[in-house]
Amino acid sequence: MPRHGLYWLGQDLRLHDNPVLYDAQHQLDSLTFVYIHYKSQRLEPYFNSAPSQIKQAFIHDCLVDLDHQLGVYQQHILVRNEPPLLAIDKLIHSCAITDVFWTRQFGWDEFEIWSLLQKRYPNIKFHLYESYTLYQQHQLTNVLSDFPQSYSKFVKQLAATIESPLPPPESLPPPVQQREHNLYPSEQALIVSGGERQALKHTETYFSSSLPAHYKDVRNALMGFENSTKLSFWLSTGCLSVKQAYTTVEYYEAQHTRNDSTLWIKKELLWREFFQWYAFHYQTKLFHFSGIQQHKPLTSYYASRFQMWVDGTTPYPIVNACMHELKETGYLSNRGRQIVASCFVHELQLDWRYGANYFEQQLIDYDVASNWGNWQYLAGVGADPRGHRQFNLEHQVNTYDPDGAYIQKWHGKAQCFPLDTTDAADWPQ
């Protein structure tokens, strides 16, 4: 009996280190690629899933790049703008699908859809792969059975070996459906280009320089594109494999130098890993107001304060500058994210979930686990053993923008009008 595969693409927009493609080349008679744009049906009042135009453009360009590369294999991507259950249902019937392939994602909505598909189609084989993380679930049995309450405990329990990245497939089965229309790059100006080829090019360029050896010294800078690895852009969409990133650091250490900076890059990749399995373990608690700590912060929702924060019109110049950069570029440094999140929770006393959701809309390098896990961390309801961290904004300015260059560049002038100018019942729509 012929085997016809359907590959539901998500955060795995690449050819290298892609176990789905590695297996598909030997197992299937045909393969259909589909990427589905859809709006989550979460009903929480803080939630708005509409991504910014910048974020949409970056994802689109990632798809364009993958589609172009698949052309070498006489393959292409079908793009759908409808609920996944409906889109996949149509393709299962039109392409006589026998096997469905998916890379595990760590958002609860996506996994719930995957579970519903399995129940709806008991006669179809469903193949779940794990290539968005350094480790696979079966390698972390001891860790996941009693999940560590902190990053440090998580790392101490890691004993498994990180497997080597897989090469791109030599060939791929043909598609069933013909191409419907060509994908063209977006016209949106972006600070980086999306796609696997740009990811690999950037990785090679960065690790061919001396920058990794000085990373720890400059990683907290608010300005300077070269002051962080910028790997998060492509890790978030799966254009770059995290195993590829980690092994590249190790290769750099073997060929050049191993110091605190290279170790710190690997540490941040392990922080990312921690948050993925944190999301896997706590499931919907990742989005709860009381977090994993099961206690509610003394914050609420104030419409005018939230809008000031979004627009960069708060009384705090450094926060305003950061918010302007985020809205204009779809990116914000790690230090900037911590500053605006701390202000959101502590100075503005806002419900942290609104801030996390705004980041979800805006950030090009948005990752559900890292984003919501870090917001819980700052709000004092997450994995931080110290709890409730508050940044002194004046100290942040004196340390990271002493000459005011960043505030000036991003027009962070303080606004001095009252924080609350509208009724707090003015819930966002």
Side-chain angles (χ1 to χ4, degrees), residues 165-306:
L166 295 169
E170 295 179 0
S171 62
L172 287 174
V176 173
Q177 287 197 1
Q178 296 303 309
R179 178 184 296 278
E180 298 166 344
H181 54 79
N182 293 322
L183 295 176
Y184 297 102
S186 68
E187 297 180 357
Q188 174 75 51
L190 298 170
I191 58 173
V192 294
S193 299
E196 177 183 21
R197 288 177 296 177
Q198 182 62 31
L200 296 176
K201 178 181 178 182
H202 172 83
T203 303
E204 181 180 2
T205 300
Y206 182 81
F207 286 99
S208 296
S209 72
S210 62
L211 292 171
H214 304 284
Y215 173 75
K216 190 176 180 182
D217 300 327
V218 296
R219 69 185 187 87
N220 277 311
L222 291 170
M223 290 196 298
F225 187 87
E226 71 285 351
N227 286 329
S228 65
T229 69
K230 297 298 185 295
L231 298 180
S232 62
F233 288 120
W234 301 283
L235 287 171
S236 64
T237 50
C239 293
L240 177 67
S241 155
V242 66
K243 290 180 186 176
Q244 184 71 47
Y246 197 92
T247 55
T248 300
V249 182
E250 293 194 318
Y251 181 80
Y252 182 91
E253 290 179 324
Q255 296 296 314
H256 300 282
T257 184
R258 184 176 185 268
N259 60 15
D260 286 348
S261 289
T262 60
L263 291 174
W264 201 273
I265 295 174
K266 292 196 291 187
K267 178 180 180 179
E268 292 188 351
L269 291 173
L270 289 172
W271 259 109
R272 177 187 183 275
E273 188 76 6
F274 168 70
F275 277 128
Q276 305 308 313
W277 296 108
Y278 175 96
F280 174 82
H281 177 76
Y282 289 109
Q283 301 181 356
T284 57
K285 287 183 180 179
L286 187 67
F287 310 102
H288 288 183
F289 181 51
S290 55
I292 66 168
Q293 300 292 350
Q294 297 301 296
H295 70 82
K296 296 182 177 180
L298 298 176
T299 55
S300 186
Y301 176 75
Y302 304 91
S304 61
R305 296 186 191 184
F306 177 75

Side-chain angles (χ1 to χ4, degrees), residues 19-28 31 73 167-173:
V20 176
L21 301 183
Y22 192 79
D23 289 349
Q25 65 182 328
H26 305 298
Q27 298 177 4
L28 301 174
L31 180 60
Y73 299 86
E170 295 179 0
S171 62
L172 287 174

Side-chain angles (χ1 to χ4, degrees), residues 9 22 25 29 41 104 122 125 132 152 159 170 203 220 261 313 325 378 393 396 405 410 421:
L9 292 164
Y22 192 79
Q25 65 182 328
D29 297 287
Q41 299 302 307
R104 184 194 296 280
K125 291 189 67 175
Y132 190 68
S152 59
E170 295 179 0
T203 303
N220 277 311
S261 289
T313 57
E325 181 184 10
L378 264 296
L393 297 180
Q396 296 297 309
W410 293 106
T421 57

